[in-house]
Amino acid sequence: MIKDWQEYNELETMYEEAKDSIVAGTGFSGIHFQLTHILRMHGRTAMGRESSVSEMKKLLDEFVISQLAEEE
């Protein structure tokens, strides 16, 4: 689980860069490998660029949902 909003913001920036890379049609970049590594640290796996972006989005969404639940 993401520990705080600072980490969330850093990961969201990486997510956006990786997503933009896919949309632009560029090849593998280091950002996708970084996402895969971070996902592994959070107990998730991703096979490929699209999968790493998709899994990171899920991780980011889960953090936001958990923060909203805490506020209630």
Side-chain angles (χ1 to χ4, degrees), residues 16-29 31-32 49:
E16 292 295 335
E17 288 177 23
K19 184 176 76 167
D20 290 346
S21 172
I22 291 172
V23 171
T26 59
F28 260 93
S29 68
I31 194 76
H32 297 100
R49 297 182 321 158

Side-chain angles (χ1 to χ4, degrees), residues 5-6 16 18 23 34 36 48 50 61 64-65:
W5 284 104
Q6 180 179 348
E16 292 295 335
V23 171
Q34 287 177 312
T36 301
E50 291 83 2
D61 289 346
V64 171
I65 290 168

Side-chain angles (χ1 to χ4, degrees), residues 30-57:
I31 194 76
H32 297 100
F33 293 111
Q34 287 177 312
L35 284 185
T36 301
H37 176 71
I38 290 167
L39 288 168
R40 285 187 187 138
M41 291 172 38
H42 288 279
R44 298 174 181 251
T45 57
M47 303 300 285
R49 297 182 321 158
E50 291 83 2
S51 178
S52 66
V53 170
S54 175
E55 283 299 313
M56 182 57 70
K57 177 66 173 153

Side-chain angles (χ1 to χ4, degrees), residues 1 44 57-67:
M1 180 60 84
R44 298 174 181 251
K57 177 66 173 153
K58 290 177 190 175
L59 184 64
L60 292 168
D61 289 346
E62 288 171 10
F63 175 76
V64 171
I65 290 168
S66 72
Q67 293 302 301

